Amino acid sequence: MRRRESLAEARRSVDALRPESLETARLSDALADVADRWSKLHGLAVQVTTTGTARPMTPEAEFALLRTAQEALANVAKHAHATRVGVTLSYLEHEVALDVRDDGEGFDPAGLEADTATTGRSRPPSRSGGFGLTIMRQRVEELSGTLQIESEPGTGTGISACFPTLPTGSHA
Ligand SMILES: Nc1ncnc2c1ncn2[C@@H]1O[C@H](COP(=O)(O)OP(=O)(O)O)[C@@H](O)[C@H]1O
Ligand SMILES: [Mg+2]
């Protein structure tokens, strides 16, 4: 089953897990693991929520959501100085959304886009940091997903990645 193999792969990239847990890997479990590890490392709880009924997605999209969560959480640790962090996986009728939200310092996302627009290519903007968000967006958009960055200085940050789900009954 490709779906399981790909999730297993994703989990290995997150960290080595016992082989028996890979057998039953699911996206929400994998996200909970990512959040748990992050919490232990940074001493801050992450509220993980899954809503709706799990629906089929391509393994590539599941992997991209997991990577998005990792990158977004890495940014929370590195930049946000947050006191609350939440990860939400929402299965809607035709799409699945992953949302990582913090109540930290926030930033001006327009600064990132402006730097890319003036050079006409992606490069690490000297003012605003590295490649993380750019790569995150590319990874999601390559798979026909969408990425939204909502932030403002002083209001915290929300990163949402959204993918269409496959018709019910199909196998990824
Ligand atoms: N959760 C966050 N809270 C505050 N600022 C953030 C957050 N995520 C990203 N940023 C800002 O956006 C910039 C770009 O992020 P990113 O592309 O991941 O690069 P890097 O993390 O290497 O600096 C960061 O340098 C930081 O200024
Ligand atoms: Mg980063």
Side-chain angles (χ1 to χ4, degrees), residues 75 78-79 132:
N75 276 346
K78 194 170 163 189
H79 306 293

Side-chain angles (χ1 to χ4, degrees), residues 31-53:
L31 279 171
D33 283 343
V34 167
D36 206 47
R37 282 158 199 281
W38 186 93
S39 283
K40 290 195 172 105
L41 199 60
H42 300 288
L44 183 61
V46 179
Q47 178 80 49
V48 183
T49 313
T50 302
T51 68
T53 309

Side-chain angles (χ1 to χ4, degrees), residues 63-88:
F63 182 76
L65 289 186
L66 202 51
R67 294 290 294 147
T68 298
Q70 280 185 295
E71 290 289 333
L73 285 172
N75 276 346
V76 174
K78 194 170 163 189
H79 306 293
H81 302 107
T83 61
R84 292 163 65 89
V85 190
V87 173
T88 307

Side-chain angles (χ1 to χ4, degrees), residues 144-169:
S144 307
T146 55
L147 187 85
Q148 260 193 307
I149 301 170
E150 284 173 34
S151 192
E152 237 179 88
T155 67
T157 299
I159 305 284
S160 312
C162 199
F163 283 108
T165 49
L166 303 172
T168 313

Side-chain angles (χ1 to χ4, degrees), residues 9-156:
E9 220 172 81
R11 290 181 70 152
R12 267 196 296 276
S13 91
V14 170
D15 208 324
L17 288 169
R18 284 167 298 145
E20 62 267 30
S21 20
L22 297 176
E23 288 301 305
T24 55
R26 298 172 60 101
L27 180 58
S28 59
D29 293 343
L31 279 171
D33 283 343
V34 167
D36 206 47
R37 282 158 199 281
W38 186 93
S39 283
K40 290 195 172 105
L41 199 60
H42 300 288
L44 183 61
V46 179
Q47 178 80 49
V48 183
T49 313
T50 302
T51 68
T53 309
R55 283 171 179 272
M57 292 172 67
T58 66
E60 292 81 8
E62 287 189 321
F63 182 76
L65 289 186
L66 202 51
R67 294 290 294 147
T68 298
Q70 280 185 295
E71 290 289 333
L73 285 172
N75 276 346
V76 174
K78 194 170 163 189
H79 306 293
H81 302 107
T83 61
R84 292 163 65 89
V85 190
V87 173
T88 307
L89 180 66
S90 311
Y91 287 99
L92 308 169
E93 199 178 344
H94 298 294
E95 59 187 28
V96 57
L98 170 86
D99 194 72
V100 178
R101 198 159 290 277
D102 71 66
D103 69 347
E105 287 174 4
F107 68 106
D108 179 9
L112 296 173
E113 280 149 35
D115 280 342
T116 306
T118 36
T119 58
R121 65 196 163 88
S122 308
R123 63 171 175 83
S126 50
R127 184 165 41 88
S128 359
F131 272 127
L133 290 173
T134 305
I135 291 169
M136 195 190 279
R137 182 184 292 286
Q138 282 170 0
R139 184 186 293 122
V140 168
E141 289 181 351
E142 261 166 27
L143 297 170
S144 307
T146 55
L147 187 85
Q148 260 193 307
I149 301 170
E150 284 173 34
S151 192
E152 237 179 88
T155 67

